[in-house]
Amino acid sequence: CMMDKWSIFGYRDRGVIGKAHGFTLLEVMVSFALITVAALGLIHLQAKLAQQTSFTLHSLEALHLAEQQMEHFRTRAANTSGGVGLIAFSDLALPQYCGQGINALSGSRYRLTSEVKAVSGALAGELKQVTVIVSWPRRVQGHPLIPVLSLSSAVGSHQLSLNSYLSRYSEFDEQ
């Protein structure tokens, strides 16, 4: 009979076993959901990479400033050119030699602090402990970034710290 091969709408009735052409609405929706989840994952990865890149650049700048201050203590130069006399060993802890000038720079996001302490014991008077700390604000307040190496994160800021010891006897002293 002609009716059992064709439906009432004029299309051939393939039944359950016949081959379907195209995708169902459910398959399309599931594929869109998977593509959306993958795209959001890539966007999140890009944002994390941008944060890490920014953090790394700021860490390198802070390390450069801390090393520059540590070198200033090591050479004990009275000015940055190193050509005008030496700072007395006893005067190293004075504020004008502890790198406070960077805090006054307009637009600088870094804060540099230095601490010079006398060492007790057998080397008292001959050795001083120097700590240089450079801190800078977080890129996004309240959002913790992953610390790199030995950098620490205080609340709302990051900081980098260098510690060293200085001897009274400098290679730059005139004897």
Side-chain angles (χ1 to χ4, degrees), residues 86-106:
L86 295 176
I87 301 167
F89 187 71
S90 58
D91 293 341
L92 282 176
L94 294 176
Q96 64 262 32
Y97 303 125
C98 286
Q100 302 302 328
I102 190 169
N103 301 331
L105 292 176
S106 62

Side-chain angles (χ1 to χ4, degrees), residues 12-21:
R12 185 175 174 127
D13 186 14
R14 284 181 255 145
V16 180
I17 301 176
K19 293 184 180 178
H21 296 285

